Amino acid sequence: MFELTTLCSGLSANSGVYSSFLCTTDIYHYNSLNLTDLHNLSLKRAAALSKTGINTISDLLYFFPRRYIDKRGIWPIGNLHMAHEAVTVIGKIISVNVIGSGTKKRLEVVIQDHTASVKAVYFKGWKYHISRFKTGELISLYGTPRQFGRYFSMAHPEAEPLTGSENPAGNDTLIPIYPSNKHFAKAFISNKLLADWIRELLNSFRAEEYLPGSLLQKYSLPDLGTALQNIHFPSSSGKANEALNRFKFEELFLFELCMSRIKHERHQRKRGAVIEPGALTHLFFNKLLPFKLTEGQKQALGEIRKDLRSQTQMNRLLQGDVGAGKTVVALGAILMAIDSGKQAAMMAPTEILAEQHYHTLNKYLSGRNIEYRLLTGGQRTALRRDILTSVESGSCSIVIGTHAIIQDQVQFHNLGLVVIDEQHRFGVKQRNEILLKGDNPHLLVMSATPIPRSLAMTIYSDLDISVIRELPAGRKEIKTAVRTDRDRESVYRFIEHSVKNGEQVYVIFPLIEESEVMDLKDATMGFEKLKRRFPSVSIRLLHGRMTSDEKEEVMKAFVDGRVSVLVSTTVVEVGVDVPNASIMVIEHAERFGLSQLHQLRGRIGRGSRQSYCILMPGEKISHPGRIRLKKLVETTDGFEIAEADLRLRGPGDFLGTKQSGLPEFKYADIIDDRLILEQAKNEAWRLFTSDSDLSSPENQKLAERFHSYFRERAEFFGTG
Ligand code: ADP
Ligand code: MG
């Protein structure tokens, strides 16, 4: 390596000499060449490249065009009167002038081809542009032409100075246009220069493949050399796309290899108890359950069952929209554990939710000689001691509870399965703590946050995922509408009418942490107003400043039906099932995120009645706010909404924080390219299960690349 480096850096770049040394090494050995070995690449230019993240030859080869100019799509300037949208023209620069004075100063550049001339006008940033235009040079403009008298002009067109290799008279039909920036401009790195360097590299070397040939074949991906050639200098846009797909696959595949490695190691380490369905499980599904499982529920159960009997510890995420029926699936898993002589624990984020699950158990298991207990923080000492004893002795088979389950005093006899409901409300730490209560118990976590599958695969990479897509049959779709302040009276009349019919209503106010006081004021005022308007209706207020006892009390009154209208600032407890609540009014709806609105709306539509969600935006509503509300009116599909939300906000924000720990992909978009992501994930896993240390000859090059990739990203992946 040392020899190569010194040898090459001593050579002028324009020689085929070193190519004979390098053609047999893989692309990463380009790193032994310096960028400055290239033609016209001064130290100053190298510094400008470095500021753009291009430090090595391979960085430069992986610096892809942001678009291409299709020469067949170039308009003769004389035809601009027929152009109704943005078009590309190419011509020679005739004049470059700064016109006007003061704030009206502008740059006017006239270009001409063999048919006519057109003027480019820049009102802003002309000082930058003026350095790019030189009389006599060839340039391409991309913009919308406007006619002024007999003349055409374009305001702020995208301009790309062209010369030499991308001359329109040349053979290429697609001209690569590279991303540009001020560092490039200062160092006079033109589009042409970038193209020349890259062409020089491609002509001198053959990049060597490291992806297994079988994969390239299976997905019809071009090999590395071809892909590099075609991404920079494609003969058609189809070729460019094929090349881009290869690079997308490549980056996702490397990422998924890391994920697979972590998962694989976990599988090696941890063995779970073998759990299989028995008499109780069969009784439950065949006799006790009053409804038929949906396809999604059946499939999820099938996947769970397979995990539980596989001897490796289950680590599964069950995703399903609110109301999709995750609880019965969890219950199925719990009963399988009991059938196999193991204990099961189910943890929920609030007492109300834990109680709700306890009632579900009551419904199906009471009188069946199975001990199940509810464990929460606020229980009397004697009762608590009794519960702990029976859990420790093993006589209690199922513990349902809150965080209380994690406490030190809680000891299990043989905990075989842990279920965590609404898992996003718990930290990773809590998840691990409860797992320590047993000997590698199986884990099922449930979430109603409908994260698009592709994203979930990257975030919860070490979890397997089951998704319940459909809601049980017979649910009435929630009707959603936007109403303004002007409609307030009719909304009130609607509430009045519904309450008379025995229905329950949520009125939700937003809670934005910074302005909690303000929001509280909003909600309190709204609450007072409602009480004045409906003096005979039972209305209660729930907000974040109340103690948890107070909150529980109000919530319980609502659950029990003693309260008809619940005004709430805090997000109403996730997961709470009040089938009788069929109306939700959301005030200042534009202030909520899309997924949050959907979660809120999921509190209604649980019973047999038609449910209504009324969105009441404030007066000033932004464009994105409007889009959010529109989406919500259009669809009730949680996954569709989550994707829209993701598009509007980007992955980091979507998960509530910029530091979501999501990797940033350079070429792939985890939503648009989900198919490739899925392929990459499957192939990575398959590879790891068949050749876990990547030692087969076919995988040797890949192994090298993978190990350096993994090392470079140790921060992200942890130590595995
Ligand atoms: P979530 O997925 O939001 O936790 P739940 O498990 O609370 O949903 O289920 C919501 C309601 O739907 C419950 O009352 C439950 O009994 C009912 N349910 C679940 N599965 C079915 C089904 N296959 N058919 C009819 N009703 C169902
Ligand atoms: Mg639930």
Side-chain angles (χ1 to χ4, degrees), residues 21 40 80 88 234 245 259 323 377 399 452 485 569 585 615 622 670 687:
F21 287 100
N40 295 322
L80 284 185
T88 302
N245 278 343
M259 294 302 198
V399 185
D485 236 8
T569 60
V585 178
L615 306 169
S622 65
I670 49 178
L687 193 71

Side-chain angles (χ1 to χ4, degrees), residues 291-294 297 321-327 472 475 577 606:
F291 44 74
K292 280 210 330 237
L293 293 177
T294 64
Q297 286 172 321
D321 211 344
V322 279
K326 296 182 287 294
T327 316
R475 292 270 168 87
D577 206 4
R606 304 197 142 218

Side-chain angles (χ1 to χ4, degrees), residues 57 70 74 137 181 188 192 378 381 414 433 450 581 595 640 678:
I57 297 275
D70 187 341
I74 289 170
E137 284 194 351
N181 59 41
F188 297 104
K192 172 186 181 310
T381 321
N414 61 355
E433 271 169 0
S595 293
E640 199 182 320
E678 200 139 340

Side-chain angles (χ1 to χ4, degrees), residues 289-295 297 318-329 353 356-357 360 363-364 421-422 446-448 468 471-475 575-577 579 602-603 606:
L289 204 60
F291 44 74
K292 280 210 330 237
L293 293 177
T294 64
E295 282 311 307
Q297 286 172 321
L318 175 58
Q319 270 201 329
D321 211 344
V322 279
K326 296 182 287 294
T327 316
V328 265
V329 175
L353 264 181
Q356 205 165 284
H357 289 317
T360 307
K363 196 157 73 189
Y364 297 118
D421 195 14
E422 310 292 348
M446 306 199 287
S447 173
I468 305 179
L471 297 183
R475 292 270 168 87
V576 174
D577 206 4
R603 302 294 117 233
R606 304 197 142 218

Side-chain angles (χ1 to χ4, degrees), residues 455-469:
L455 188 55
M457 285 190 342
T458 48
I459 311 168
Y460 304 115
S461 57
D462 62 326
L463 297 175
D464 297 306
I465 301 175
S466 295
V467 180
I468 305 179
R469 239 209 107 146

